[in-house]
Amino acid sequence: MAPGPHAQPTHRRAGPDDGKVDLVPGGRTDVSSWGGIVSVGASVRGIRGVVTDGACRDVAQARELGFPVFARAQVPVTARGRLRQKSSGEPIRLGEVTVRQGDVLLADEGGVVIAPRERATEALEAAQRLADLEAAIEAEVRTGVPLPQAMRDARLAGTEAK
């Protein structure tokens, strides 16, 4: 794949209340769009983490900083000379979702949730309901309830009250 543009949606200097979203067209994973030095720089500025639709590198360095990096892949190839910034502060596509300045992103090893700021509370409440339901199912399995019975489709779809 030929080198492509690199967009970062921050039109002002990012700071303590910010995360960062990197977009590499097509979820490009042959070069890194985020690495250790930029993790250090972001951490020093108080940025709380990064989500990239591409690859990252220097994950151990970011982990030592306590700086969360969520990416499609890890690759040791630097972006220097291979990617360039195209825009800043513009809406971007992250997978199938458009991310806009001010959106709320929650991420862990299981994935990324993106919500418009005005719907962030609703998204957090839905995630908490699902986490509570999964904890209840896990508790049933630990007490000996057969897995197929504990994981009834209707319960996991949220259509059956506990």
Side-chain angles (χ1 to χ4, degrees):
M1 181 180 265
H6 183 216
Q8 298 176 356
T10 48
H11 66 278
R12 61 179 170 71
R13 187 169 175 84
D17 292 331
D18 297 310
K20 189 164 182 69
V21 178
D22 252 359
L23 176 70
V24 176
R28 192 171 164 186
T29 58
D30 61 324
V31 298
S32 172
S33 66
W34 192 270
I37 295 171
V38 290
S39 289
V40 170
S43 179
V44 166
R45 287 180 30 208
I47 296 172
R48 294 186 273 175
V50 68
V51 175
T52 178
D53 196 28
C56 66
R57 60 186 234 136
D58 307 325
V59 174
Q61 186 176 6
R63 189 178 305 118
E64 287 172 10
L65 290 167
F67 188 84
V69 176
F70 301 96
R72 282 189 182 268
Q74 294 181 43
V75 65
V77 181
T78 180
R80 286 188 194 99
R82 296 177 180 90
L83 297 176
R84 60 188 163 76
Q85 183 171 331
K86 180 181 175 184
S87 66
S88 181
E90 300 296 321
I92 61 170
R93 297 285 294 170
L94 185 63
E96 298 297 316
V97 177
T98 298
V99 182
R100 292 176 175 78
Q101 194 76 29
D103 284 355
V104 175
L105 282 75
L106 300 172
D108 66 15
E109 294 79 12
V112 178
V113 173
I114 302 165
R117 184 164 299 281
E118 63 273 9
R119 296 191 64 198
T121 299
E122 177 186 342
L124 184 58
E125 289 170 352
Q128 187 61 58
R129 282 191 303 273
L130 180 58
D132 292 347
L133 178 57
E134 288 178 343
I137 292 169
E138 180 181 333
E140 286 183 19
V141 171
R142 290 184 181 278
T143 64
V145 173
L147 191 57
Q149 181 182 342
M151 293 186 62
R152 296 181 302 277
D153 286 349
R155 288 183 61 193
L156 290 176
T159 59
E160 182 181 314
K162 173 87 177 136

CSV table of all heavy atoms in Angstrom, one decimal, residues 60-111:
chain,number,residue,atom,x,y,z
A,60,ALA,N,5.6,-1.5,25.2
A,60,ALA,CA,6.2,-1.6,26.5
A,60,ALA,C,6.5,-0.2,27.1
A,60,ALA,O,6.3,0.0,28.3
A,60,ALA,CB,7.4,-2.5,26.5
A,61,GLN,N,7.0,0.7,26.3
A,61,GLN,CA,7.4,2.0,26.7
A,61,GLN,C,6.1,2.8,27.2
A,61,GLN,O,6.1,3.4,28.2
A,61,GLN,CB,8.1,2.8,25.6
A,61,GLN,CG,8.6,4.1,26.0
A,61,GLN,CD,9.4,4.8,24.9
A,61,GLN,OE1,9.5,4.3,23.8
A,61,GLN,NE2,10.0,6.0,25.2
A,62,ALA,N,5.0,2.7,26.4
A,62,ALA,CA,3.8,3.3,26.7
A,62,ALA,C,3.2,2.7,28.0
A,62,ALA,O,2.7,3.4,28.9
A,62,ALA,CB,2.8,3.2,25.6
A,63,ARG,N,3.3,1.4,28.2
A,63,ARG,CA,2.8,0.7,29.4
A,63,ARG,C,3.6,1.2,30.6
A,63,ARG,O,3.0,1.4,31.6
A,63,ARG,CB,2.9,-0.8,29.2
A,63,ARG,CG,2.3,-1.6,30.3
A,63,ARG,CD,2.4,-3.1,30.1
A,63,ARG,NE,1.8,-3.5,28.8
A,63,ARG,CZ,2.6,-4.1,27.9
A,63,ARG,NH1,3.9,-4.4,28.1
A,63,ARG,NH2,2.1,-4.5,26.7
A,64,GLU,N,4.9,1.3,30.5
A,64,GLU,CA,5.7,1.8,31.6
A,64,GLU,C,5.3,3.2,32.1
A,64,GLU,O,5.4,3.6,33.2
A,64,GLU,CB,7.2,1.8,31.2
A,64,GLU,CG,7.8,0.4,31.2
A,64,GLU,CD,9.2,0.4,30.6
A,64,GLU,OE1,9.8,1.5,30.5
A,64,GLU,OE2,9.7,-0.7,30.4
A,65,LEU,N,4.8,4.0,31.1
A,65,LEU,CA,4.4,5.4,31.4
A,65,LEU,C,3.0,5.4,32.0
A,65,LEU,O,2.5,6.4,32.5
A,65,LEU,CB,4.3,6.2,30.1
A,65,LEU,CG,5.5,6.6,29.4
A,65,LEU,CD1,5.3,7.1,28.0
A,65,LEU,CD2,6.2,7.7,30.2
A,66,GLY,N,2.3,4.2,31.9
A,66,GLY,CA,0.9,4.2,32.3
A,66,GLY,C,0.0,4.9,31.3
A,66,GLY,O,-1.1,5.4,31.6
A,67,PHE,N,0.5,4.9,30.0
A,67,PHE,CA,-0.2,5.6,29.0
A,67,PHE,C,-0.9,4.5,28.1
A,67,PHE,O,-0.2,3.8,27.3
A,67,PHE,CB,0.8,6.4,28.1
A,67,PHE,CG,0.1,7.3,27.1
A,67,PHE,CD1,-0.4,8.5,27.5
A,67,PHE,CD2,0.0,6.9,25.8
A,67,PHE,CE1,-1.0,9.3,26.5
A,67,PHE,CE2,-0.6,7.7,24.8
A,67,PHE,CZ,-1.1,8.9,25.2
A,68,PRO,N,-2.2,4.4,28.1
A,68,PRO,CA,-2.9,3.4,27.3
A,68,PRO,C,-2.9,3.7,25.8
A,68,PRO,O,-3.2,4.9,25.4
A,68,PRO,CB,-4.4,3.4,27.9
A,68,PRO,CG,-4.5,4.7,28.5
A,68,PRO,CD,-3.2,5.2,29.0
A,69,VAL,N,-2.6,2.7,25.0
A,69,VAL,CA,-2.6,2.8,23.6
A,69,VAL,C,-3.4,1.7,23.1
A,69,VAL,O,-3.2,0.5,23.4
A,69,VAL,CB,-1.1,2.7,23.0
A,69,VAL,CG1,-1.2,2.7,21.5
A,69,VAL,CG2,-0.3,3.8,23.5
A,70,PHE,N,-4.4,2.0,22.3
A,70,PHE,CA,-5.3,1.0,21.7
A,70,PHE,C,-5.2,1.1,20.2
A,70,PHE,O,-5.4,2.2,19.6
A,70,PHE,CB,-6.8,1.2,22.1
A,70,PHE,CG,-6.9,1.2,23.6
A,70,PHE,CD1,-6.9,2.3,24.3
A,70,PHE,CD2,-7.0,0.0,24.2
A,70,PHE,CE1,-7.1,2.3,25.7
A,70,PHE,CE2,-7.2,-0.1,25.6
A,70,PHE,CZ,-7.2,1.1,26.3
A,71,ALA,N,-4.8,0.0,19.5
A,71,ALA,CA,-4.5,0.0,18.1
A,71,ALA,C,-5.0,-1.3,17.5
A,71,ALA,O,-5.2,-2.3,18.2
A,71,ALA,CB,-3.0,0.1,17.9
A,72,ARG,N,-5.1,-1.3,16.1
A,72,ARG,CA,-5.4,-2.5,15.4
A,72,ARG,C,-4.3,-3.6,15.5
A,72,ARG,O,-4.6,-4.8,15.4
A,72,ARG,CB,-5.7,-2.2,13.9
A,72,ARG,CG,-7.0,-1.6,13.6
A,72,ARG,CD,-7.2,-1.5,12.1
A,72,ARG,NE,-8.4,-0.9,11.8
A,72,ARG,CZ,-9.6,-1.5,11.6
A,72,ARG,NH1,-9.6,-2.8,11.7
A,72,ARG,NH2,-10.7,-0.8,11.4
A,73,ALA,N,-3.1,-3.1,15.5
A,73,ALA,CA,-1.9,-4.0,15.4
A,73,ALA,C,-0.7,-3.4,16.0
A,73,ALA,O,-0.7,-2.2,16.3
A,73,ALA,CB,-1.7,-4.4,14.0
A,74,GLN,N,0.3,-4.1,16.2
A,74,GLN,CA,1.7,-3.6,16.6
A,74,GLN,C,2.6,-4.0,15.4
A,74,GLN,O,2.6,-5.1,14.9
A,74,GLN,CB,2.1,-4.3,17.8
A,74,GLN,CG,1.3,-3.9,19.1
A,74,GLN,CD,1.9,-4.6,20.3
A,74,GLN,OE1,3.1,-4.6,20.5
A,74,GLN,NE2,1.0,-5.2,21.1
A,75,VAL,N,3.5,-3.0,15.1
A,75,VAL,CA,4.5,-3.2,14.1
A,75,VAL,C,5.7,-2.4,14.4
A,75,VAL,O,5.5,-1.3,14.9
A,75,VAL,CB,3.9,-2.9,12.7
A,75,VAL,CG1,3.6,-1.4,12.5
A,75,VAL,CG2,4.8,-3.4,11.6
A,76,PRO,N,6.9,-2.9,14.2
A,76,PRO,CA,8.1,-2.1,14.6
A,76,PRO,C,8.5,-1.0,13.6
A,76,PRO,O,9.4,-0.3,13.8
A,76,PRO,CB,9.2,-3.2,14.7
A,76,PRO,CG,8.8,-4.2,13.7
A,76,PRO,CD,7.2,-4.2,13.8
A,77,VAL,N,7.8,-0.9,12.5
A,77,VAL,CA,8.1,0.0,11.4
A,77,VAL,C,7.6,1.4,11.7
A,77,VAL,O,6.5,1.7,11.9
A,77,VAL,CB,7.6,-0.4,10.0
A,77,VAL,CG1,8.0,0.6,8.9
A,77,VAL,CG2,8.0,-1.8,9.7
A,78,THR,N,8.6,2.4,11.8
A,78,THR,CA,8.2,3.8,12.0
A,78,THR,C,7.5,4.4,10.9
A,78,THR,O,7.6,4.0,9.7
A,78,THR,CB,9.5,4.6,12.3
A,78,THR,OG1,9.1,6.0,12.6
A,78,THR,CG2,10.4,4.6,11.2
A,79,ALA,N,6.7,5.5,11.2
A,79,ALA,CA,5.9,6.2,10.2
A,79,ALA,C,6.8,7.3,9.5
A,79,ALA,O,6.4,7.8,8.5
A,79,ALA,CB,4.7,6.8,10.8
A,80,ARG,N,7.9,7.6,10.1
A,80,ARG,CA,8.8,8.6,9.5
A,80,ARG,C,9.0,8.4,8.0
A,80,ARG,O,9.5,7.4,7.6
A,80,ARG,CB,10.1,8.7,10.2
A,80,ARG,CG,9.9,9.3,11.6
A,80,ARG,CD,11.3,9.6,12.3
A,80,ARG,NE,11.0,9.9,13.7
A,80,ARG,CZ,11.2,9.0,14.6
A,80,ARG,NH1,11.6,7.8,14.4
A,80,ARG,NH2,10.9,9.3,15.9
A,81,GLY,N,8.6,9.4,7.3
A,81,GLY,CA,8.8,9.3,5.8
A,81,GLY,C,7.8,8.5,5.1
A,81,GLY,O,7.8,8.4,3.9
A,82,ARG,N,6.8,7.9,5.8
A,82,ARG,CA,5.8,7.0,5.2
A,82,ARG,C,4.4,7.5,5.4
A,82,ARG,O,3.6,7.2,4.6
A,82,ARG,CB,5.9,5.6,5.9
A,82,ARG,CG,7.3,4.9,5.6
A,82,ARG,CD,7.3,3.6,6.3
A,82,ARG,NE,8.6,2.9,6.1
A,82,ARG,CZ,9.7,3.1,6.8
A,82,ARG,NH1,9.6,3.9,7.9
A,82,ARG,NH2,10.8,2.5,6.5
A,83,LEU,N,4.2,8.3,6.4
A,83,LEU,CA,2.9,8.9,6.7
A,83,LEU,C,3.0,10.4,6.9
A,83,LEU,O,4.1,10.8,7.4
A,83,LEU,CB,2.2,8.3,7.9
A,83,LEU,CG,1.9,6.8,7.9
A,83,LEU,CD1,1.3,6.4,9.2
A,83,LEU,CD2,0.9,6.5,6.8
A,84,ARG,N,2.0,11.1,6.6
A,84,ARG,CA,2.1,12.6,6.8
A,84,ARG,C,0.7,13.0,7.3
A,84,ARG,O,-0.3,12.5,6.9
A,84,ARG,CB,2.5,13.4,5.6
A,84,ARG,CG,1.7,13.2,4.4
A,84,ARG,CD,2.3,13.9,3.2
A,84,ARG,NE,1.6,13.4,2.0
A,84,ARG,CZ,0.4,13.8,1.6
A,84,ARG,NH1,-0.2,14.7,2.3
A,84,ARG,NH2,-0.1,13.3,0.5
A,85,GLN,N,0.7,14.0,8.2
A,85,GLN,CA,-0.6,14.6,8.7
A,85,GLN,C,-1.3,15.3,7.6
A,85,GLN,O,-0.7,16.1,6.9
A,85,GLN,CB,-0.3,15.5,9.8
A,85,GLN,CG,-1.6,16.0,10.5
A,85,GLN,CD,-1.3,16.8,11.7
A,85,GLN,OE1,-0.4,16.5,12.4
A,85,GLN,NE2,-2.2,17.7,12.1
A,86,LYS,N,-2.6,15.0,7.4
A,86,LYS,CA,-3.4,15.6,6.4
A,86,LYS,C,-4.3,16.7,7.0
A,86,LYS,O,-4.4,17.8,6.4
A,86,LYS,CB,-4.3,14.6,5.7
A,86,LYS,CG,-5.2,15.2,4.6
A,86,LYS,CD,-6.1,14.1,4.0
A,86,LYS,CE,-7.0,14.7,3.0
A,86,LYS,NZ,-7.9,13.7,2.5
A,87,SER,N,-4.8,16.5,8.2
A,87,SER,CA,-5.7,17.5,8.8
A,87,SER,C,-5.7,17.3,10.3
A,87,SER,O,-5.2,16.4,10.8
A,87,SER,CB,-7.1,17.4,8.2
A,87,SER,OG,-7.7,16.2,8.6
A,88,SER,N,-6.3,18.3,10.9
A,88,SER,CA,-6.4,18.3,12.4
A,88,SER,C,-7.7,18.9,12.8
A,88,SER,O,-8.1,19.9,12.3
A,88,SER,CB,-5.2,19.1,12.9
A,88,SER,OG,-5.3,19.1,14.3
A,89,GLY,N,-8.4,18.2,13.7
A,89,GLY,CA,-9.7,18.7,14.2
A,89,GLY,C,-10.9,18.4,13.4
A,89,GLY,O,-12.0,18.8,13.7
A,90,GLU,N,-10.7,17.7,12.3
A,90,GLU,CA,-11.8,17.3,11.4
A,90,GLU,C,-12.4,16.0,11.9
A,90,GLU,O,-11.8,15.2,12.5
A,90,GLU,CB,-11.3,17.1,10.0
A,90,GLU,CG,-10.6,18.4,9.4
A,90,GLU,CD,-11.6,19.5,9.3
A,90,GLU,OE1,-12.7,19.3,8.9
A,90,GLU,OE2,-11.2,20.7,9.5
A,91,PRO,N,-13.7,15.8,11.6
A,91,PRO,CA,-14.3,14.5,11.9
A,91,PRO,C,-13.6,13.4,11.1
A,91,PRO,O,-13.1,13.6,10.0
A,91,PRO,CB,-15.8,14.6,11.3
A,91,PRO,CG,-16.0,16.1,11.3
A,91,PRO,CD,-14.7,16.7,11.0
A,92,ILE,N,-13.4,12.2,11.7
A,92,ILE,CA,-12.7,11.1,11.1
A,92,ILE,C,-13.5,9.9,11.2
A,92,ILE,O,-14.4,9.8,12.1
A,92,ILE,CB,-11.3,10.9,11.7
A,92,ILE,CG1,-11.4,10.6,13.2
A,92,ILE,CG2,-10.4,12.1,11.4
A,92,ILE,CD1,-10.1,10.1,13.8
A,93,ARG,N,-13.2,8.9,10.4
A,93,ARG,CA,-13.9,7.5,10.5
A,93,ARG,C,-12.9,6.6,11.3
A,93,ARG,O,-11.7,6.5,11.0
A,93,ARG,CB,-14.1,6.9,9.1
A,93,ARG,CG,-15.1,7.7,8.3
A,93,ARG,CD,-16.5,7.6,8.7
A,93,ARG,NE,-17.0,6.2,8.5
A,93,ARG,CZ,-18.2,5.8,8.9
A,93,ARG,NH1,-19.0,6.6,9.5
A,93,ARG,NH2,-18.5,4.6,8.7
A,94,LEU,N,-13.4,6.0,12.3
A,94,LEU,CA,-12.7,5.0,13.1
A,94,LEU,C,-13.5,3.7,12.9
A,94,LEU,O,-14.6,3.6,13.5
A,94,LEU,CB,-12.6,5.4,14.5
A,94,LEU,CG,-11.7,4.6,15.4
A,94,LEU,CD1,-10.3,4.5,15.0
A,94,LEU,CD2,-11.8,5.0,16.9
A,95,GLY,N,-13.0,2.8,12.1
A,95,GLY,CA,-13.9,1.7,11.7
A,95,GLY,C,-15.1,2.2,11.0
A,95,GLY,O,-15.0,2.9,10.0
A,96,GLU,N,-16.3,1.8,11.5
A,96,GLU,CA,-17.5,2.2,10.9
A,96,GLU,C,-18.2,3.5,11.6
A,96,GLU,O,-19.3,3.8,11.3
A,96,GLU,CB,-18.5,1.0,11.1
A,96,GLU,CG,-18.1,-0.2,10.3
A,96,GLU,CD,-18.0,0.0,8.8
A,96,GLU,OE1,-18.9,0.6,8.3
A,96,GLU,OE2,-16.9,-0.4,8.3
A,97,VAL,N,-17.4,4.1,12.5
A,97,VAL,CA,-18.0,5.2,13.3
A,97,VAL,C,-17.3,6.5,12.9
A,97,VAL,O,-16.1,6.5,12.8
A,97,VAL,CB,-17.8,4.9,14.8
A,97,VAL,CG1,-18.4,6.1,15.6
A,97,VAL,CG2,-18.6,3.6,15.1
A,98,THR,N,-18.0,7.6,12.8
A,98,THR,CA,-17.4,8.9,12.7
A,98,THR,C,-17.2,9.5,14.0
A,98,THR,O,-18.0,9.5,14.9
A,98,THR,CB,-18.4,9.8,11.9
A,98,THR,OG1,-18.6,9.3,10.6
A,98,THR,CG2,-17.8,11.2,11.7
A,99,VAL,N,-15.9,9.9,14.2
A,99,VAL,CA,-15.5,10.5,15.5
A,99,VAL,C,-15.4,12.0,15.3
A,99,VAL,O,-14.7,12.5,14.3
A,99,VAL,CB,-14.2,10.0,16.0
A,99,VAL,CG1,-13.8,10.6,17.4
A,99,VAL,CG2,-14.3,8.4,16.1
A,100,ARG,N,-16.0,12.8,16.2
A,100,ARG,CA,-16.0,14.3,16.1
A,100,ARG,C,-15.3,14.9,17.3
A,100,ARG,O,-15.3,14.2,18.4
A,100,ARG,CB,-17.4,14.9,15.9
A,100,ARG,CG,-18.0,14.5,14.6
A,100,ARG,CD,-19.5,15.0,14.5
A,100,ARG,NE,-20.0,14.8,13.2
A,100,ARG,CZ,-20.5,13.6,12.8
A,100,ARG,NH1,-20.4,12.5,13.6
A,100,ARG,NH2,-21.0,13.4,11.6
A,101,GLN,N,-14.7,16.0,17.2
A,101,GLN,CA,-14.1,16.7,18.3
A,101,GLN,C,-15.1,16.8,19.4
A,101,GLN,O,-16.3,17.1,19.2
A,101,GLN,CB,-13.8,18.2,17.9
A,101,GLN,CG,-12.9,18.9,18.8
A,101,GLN,CD,-11.4,18.4,18.7
A,101,GLN,OE1,-11.0,18.0,17.6
A,101,GLN,NE2,-10.7,18.5,19.8
A,102,GLY,N,-14.7,16.4,20.6
A,102,GLY,CA,-15.6,16.4,21.8
A,102,GLY,C,-16.3,15.1,22.1
A,102,GLY,O,-16.9,15.0,23.2
A,103,ASP,N,-16.3,14.1,21.2
A,103,ASP,CA,-16.9,12.8,21.4
A,103,ASP,C,-16.2,12.2,22.6
A,103,ASP,O,-15.0,12.4,22.9
A,103,ASP,CB,-16.8,11.9,20.2
A,103,ASP,CG,-17.8,12.3,19.1
A,103,ASP,OD1,-18.7,13.2,19.4
A,103,ASP,OD2,-17.8,11.7,18.1
A,104,VAL,N,-16.9,11.3,23.3
A,104,VAL,CA,-16.3,10.5,24.4
A,104,VAL,C,-15.9,9.1,23.9
A,104,VAL,O,-16.7,8.5,23.3
A,104,VAL,CB,-17.3,10.5,25.6
A,104,VAL,CG1,-16.8,9.6,26.7
A,104,VAL,CG2,-17.6,11.9,26.0
A,105,LEU,N,-14.7,8.7,24.2
A,105,LEU,CA,-14.2,7.4,23.8
A,105,LEU,C,-13.8,6.7,25.1
A,105,LEU,O,-13.1,7.2,26.0
A,105,LEU,CB,-12.9,7.5,23.0
A,105,LEU,CG,-13.2,7.8,21.5
A,105,LEU,CD1,-13.5,9.3,21.3
A,105,LEU,CD2,-12.0,7.4,20.7
A,106,LEU,N,-14.3,5.5,25.2
A,106,LEU,CA,-14.0,4.6,26.3
A,106,LEU,C,-13.3,3.3,25.7
A,106,LEU,O,-13.9,2.8,24.7
A,106,LEU,CB,-15.2,4.2,27.2
A,106,LEU,CG,-16.0,5.3,27.8
A,106,LEU,CD1,-17.3,4.8,28.4
A,106,LEU,CD2,-15.1,6.0,28.9
A,107,ALA,N,-12.2,2.9,26.2
A,107,ALA,CA,-11.5,1.8,25.6
A,107,ALA,C,-10.9,0.9,26.6
A,107,ALA,O,-10.5,1.4,27.7
A,107,ALA,CB,-10.4,2.3,24.7
A,108,ASP,N,-10.8,-0.4,26.3
A,108,ASP,CA,-10.1,-1.3,27.1
A,108,ASP,C,-9.6,-2.4,26.1
A,108,ASP,O,-9.8,-2.3,24.9
A,108,ASP,CB,-10.9,-1.9,28.3
A,108,ASP,CG,-12.1,-2.7,27.9
A,108,ASP,OD1,-12.2,-3.1,26.8
A,108,ASP,OD2,-12.9,-2.9,28.8
A,109,GLU,N,-9.1,-3.5,26.7
A,109,GLU,CA,-8.6,-4.6,25.8
A,109,GLU,C,-9.7,-5.2,25.0
A,109,GLU,O,-9.4,-5.9,24.0
A,109,GLU,CB,-7.9,-5.7,26.7
A,109,GLU,CG,-6.6,-5.2,27.3
A,109,GLU,CD,-6.9,-4.4,28.6
A,109,GLU,OE1,-8.0,-4.3,29.1
A,109,GLU,OE2,-5.9,-3.7,29.1
A,110,GLY,N,-10.9,-5.0,25.3
A,110,GLY,CA,-12.0,-5.6,24.6
A,110,GLY,C,-12.5,-4.8,23.4
A,110,GLY,O,-13.3,-5.3,22.6
A,111,GLY,N,-12.2,-3.5,23.4
A,111,GLY,CA,-12.6,-2.7,22.3
A,111,GLY,C,-12.8,-1.2,22.7
A,111,GLY,O,-12.4,-0.8,23.7
